[in-house]
Amino acid sequence: MEEIVLSTPQSLAQQPAVVGSIRRQTPRRARIAVATTFFITGMTFATWAARIPAVSEQLHLTPGTLGIALFGLNCGSLLSLPISGTLVVRLRSRTTAFIGFLFYCLLFPLLGMMPNVWALACMLGVYALGSSLTNIAINVAGVAVEQRYNRPLMGSFHAFWSFGGVAGSLIGAGAASINMPVWLHFGLMSIV
C-alpha cells in the first residue's frame, strides 16, 4: 500500500526545487515580494467583495441566487486544492503564483460583465481557482522566507493581506459612490 503524504506549506518550502527563486533572492527582496503579493491578493478580494451589491443589482439577483453565484467561489477553490500543491512542486512557487495572477488579471473584469447567475457562478469558480493557486504558492514562498530569516514572519504576511483588504474596500467604496461600472472598476484594478 502506498503511503499518502499531505503537502503542507512547511514541507513544500523545504524542497529546494519548489522555492528555488526565493532562495536566490536576497532575504529582504524575497520578503518584500511575498508581502506585496499578499497585499495584492487581499486588495483584489476586498475589491470584489465591496462590489457584490452592484453585481447583484446588475443581474437582479435575489439573496438565494446570489448564494448560488457565490457557491462558484467554493467550487473553484475545492477543485484547485488537489492540483495546487502539485503545481508548486513541479513549477515552483513563483511560477504557480504567476499563473494564478494571470487568472486574476484576465478574469477579474469579466466578473462585472456576466449576463446571468450561472455565468457568474462559473466565472467565480475559475477566478477562485486562480486565487487558490496564488494563495498556496505565496504561503509556500512565505514559509521559505521565514526559514531564511529563522523567525516567524507569516503573521506579518497575513497582515499585509489585511492591509490590502482595507485598501480594496476603500477603493471599492469609492468606485461605488461614483457609480463606476463594475467592469470598468475591475478592469482598472486588473491593470494595477
Side-chain angles (χ1 to χ4, degrees), residues 10 13 28 45 53 83 101 115 119-120 132 135 140 187-189:
Q10 289 81 5
R28 180 169 160 60
F45 181 79
I83 61 169
F101 268 123
L120 179 61
S132 290
N135 287 328
V140 169
L188 294 172
M189 289 301 295

Side-chain angles (χ1 to χ4, degrees), residues 48 69-74 76 111 119-129:
W48 152 250
L70 295 176
F71 184 67
L73 284 171
N74 297 325
L111 292 176
L120 179 61
C122 291
M123 186 57 64
L124 283 171
V126 176
Y127 179 74
L129 187 128

